[in-house]
mmCIF file of all heavy atoms in Angstrom:
data_model
loop_
_atom_site.group_PDB
_atom_site.id
_atom_site.type_symbol
_atom_site.label_atom_id
_atom_site.label_comp_id
_atom_site.label_asym_id
_atom_site.label_seq_id
_atom_site.Cartn_x
_atom_site.Cartn_y
_atom_site.Cartn_z
ATOM 1 N N PHE A 239 174.553 3.295 46.631
ATOM 2 C CA PHE A 239 175.110 2.571 47.772
ATOM 3 C C PHE A 239 174.765 1.090 47.670
ATOM 4 O O PHE A 239 173.635 0.736 47.335
ATOM 5 C CB PHE A 239 174.546 3.127 49.088
ATOM 6 C CG PHE A 239 174.908 4.573 49.331
ATOM 7 C CD1 PHE A 239 174.048 5.599 48.941
ATOM 8 C CD2 PHE A 239 176.109 4.910 49.923
ATOM 9 C CE1 PHE A 239 174.373 6.924 49.155
ATOM 10 C CE2 PHE A 239 176.446 6.242 50.145
ATOM 11 C CZ PHE A 239 175.586 7.245 49.757
ATOM 12 N N ASP A 240 175.733 0.227 47.973
ATOM 13 C CA ASP A 240 175.477 -1.210 47.897
ATOM 14 C C ASP A 240 175.422 -1.880 49.270
ATOM 15 O O ASP A 240 175.276 -3.091 49.374
ATOM 16 C CB ASP A 240 176.525 -1.910 47.019
ATOM 17 C CG ASP A 240 177.946 -1.664 47.518
ATOM 18 O OD1 ASP A 240 178.111 -1.046 48.591
ATOM 19 O OD2 ASP A 240 178.884 -2.087 46.819
ATOM 20 N N GLN A 241 175.539 -1.090 50.330
ATOM 21 C CA GLN A 241 175.425 -1.681 51.660
ATOM 22 C C GLN A 241 174.018 -2.229 51.860
ATOM 23 O O GLN A 241 173.032 -1.595 51.473
ATOM 24 C CB GLN A 241 175.740 -0.643 52.752
ATOM 25 C CG GLN A 241 177.193 -0.234 52.815
ATOM 26 C CD GLN A 241 177.462 0.990 51.946
ATOM 27 O OE1 GLN A 241 176.680 1.289 51.041
ATOM 28 N NE2 GLN A 241 178.565 1.678 52.212
ATOM 29 N N SER A 242 173.932 -3.377 52.493
ATOM 30 C CA SER A 242 172.647 -4.064 52.629
ATOM 31 C C SER A 242 171.612 -3.223 53.365
ATOM 32 O O SER A 242 170.421 -3.224 53.012
ATOM 33 C CB SER A 242 172.835 -5.404 53.343
ATOM 34 O OG SER A 242 173.382 -5.197 54.642
ATOM 35 N N VAL A 243 172.040 -2.478 54.402
ATOM 36 C CA VAL A 243 171.074 -1.693 55.173
ATOM 37 C C VAL A 243 170.488 -0.569 54.319
ATOM 38 O O VAL A 243 169.292 -0.249 54.428
ATOM 39 C CB VAL A 243 171.736 -1.116 56.451
ATOM 40 C CG1 VAL A 243 172.859 -0.136 56.108
ATOM 41 C CG2 VAL A 243 170.693 -0.462 57.337
ATOM 42 N N VAL A 244 171.294 0.017 53.430
ATOM 43 C CA VAL A 244 170.797 1.090 52.561
ATOM 44 C C VAL A 244 169.902 0.513 51.470
ATOM 45 O O VAL A 244 168.858 1.091 51.128
ATOM 46 C CB VAL A 244 171.963 1.879 51.937
ATOM 47 C CG1 VAL A 244 171.433 2.990 51.029
ATOM 48 C CG2 VAL A 244 172.839 2.474 53.022
ATOM 49 N N VAL A 245 170.271 -0.631 50.926
ATOM 50 C CA VAL A 245 169.454 -1.291 49.902
ATOM 51 C C VAL A 245 168.086 -1.639 50.476
ATOM 52 O O VAL A 245 167.044 -1.440 49.837
ATOM 53 C CB VAL A 245 170.158 -2.563 49.378
ATOM 54 C CG1 VAL A 245 169.225 -3.365 48.466
ATOM 55 C CG2 VAL A 245 171.436 -2.192 48.644
ATOM 56 N N GLU A 246 168.088 -2.159 51.704
ATOM 57 C CA GLU A 246 166.821 -2.517 52.352
ATOM 58 C C GLU A 246 165.984 -1.272 52.627
ATOM 59 O O GLU A 246 164.764 -1.268 52.451
ATOM 60 C CB GLU A 246 167.118 -3.259 53.660
ATOM 61 C CG GLU A 246 165.894 -3.925 54.308
ATOM 62 C CD GLU A 246 165.098 -2.970 55.183
ATOM 63 O OE1 GLU A 246 165.687 -2.001 55.700
ATOM 64 O OE2 GLU A 246 163.877 -3.190 55.328
ATOM 65 N N LEU A 247 166.643 -0.193 53.032
ATOM 66 C CA LEU A 247 165.958 1.079 53.297
ATOM 67 C C LEU A 247 165.303 1.605 52.023
ATOM 68 O O LEU A 247 164.132 1.999 52.018
ATOM 69 C CB LEU A 247 166.967 2.087 53.838
ATOM 70 C CG LEU A 247 166.423 3.400 54.388
ATOM 71 C CD1 LEU A 247 165.664 3.169 55.679
ATOM 72 C CD2 LEU A 247 167.578 4.380 54.636
ATOM 73 N N ALA A 248 166.060 1.587 50.933
ATOM 74 C CA ALA A 248 165.539 2.093 49.658
ATOM 75 C C ALA A 248 164.365 1.266 49.164
ATOM 76 O O ALA A 248 163.441 1.798 48.539
ATOM 77 C CB ALA A 248 166.655 2.102 48.615
ATOM 78 N N SER A 249 164.385 -0.037 49.467
ATOM 79 C CA SER A 249 163.299 -0.914 48.992
ATOM 80 C C SER A 249 161.968 -0.590 49.651
ATOM 81 O O SER A 249 160.906 -0.940 49.138
ATOM 82 C CB SER A 249 163.666 -2.378 49.249
ATOM 83 O OG SER A 249 163.631 -2.672 50.635
ATOM 84 N N ARG A 250 162.018 0.063 50.799
ATOM 85 C CA ARG A 250 160.788 0.409 51.517
ATOM 86 C C ARG A 250 160.243 1.784 51.140
ATOM 87 O O ARG A 250 159.204 2.201 51.651
ATOM 88 C CB ARG A 250 161.035 0.338 53.023
ATOM 89 C CG ARG A 250 161.194 -1.079 53.533
ATOM 90 C CD ARG A 250 161.204 -1.139 55.053
ATOM 91 N NE ARG A 250 162.489 -0.790 55.623
ATOM 92 C CZ ARG A 250 162.673 0.137 56.568
ATOM 93 N NH1 ARG A 250 161.663 0.833 57.014
ATOM 94 N NH2 ARG A 250 163.886 0.377 57.046
ATOM 95 N N ILE A 251 160.942 2.497 50.288
ATOM 96 C CA ILE A 251 160.471 3.802 49.824
ATOM 97 C C ILE A 251 159.726 3.617 48.512
ATOM 98 O O ILE A 251 160.303 3.191 47.513
ATOM 99 C CB ILE A 251 161.650 4.784 49.640
ATOM 100 C CG1 ILE A 251 162.363 4.999 50.973
ATOM 101 C CG2 ILE A 251 161.156 6.117 49.076
ATOM 102 C CD1 ILE A 251 163.592 5.881 50.872
ATOM 103 N N GLY A 252 158.438 3.909 48.517
ATOM 104 C CA GLY A 252 157.610 3.696 47.333
ATOM 105 C C GLY A 252 157.818 4.766 46.272
ATOM 106 O O GLY A 252 158.429 5.811 46.518
#
Side-chain angles (χ1 to χ4, degrees):
F239 297 94
D240 57 6
Q241 290 92 340
S242 60
V243 64
V244 180
V245 172
E246 191 275 334
L247 190 69
S249 70
R250 289 190 280 127
I251 299 176

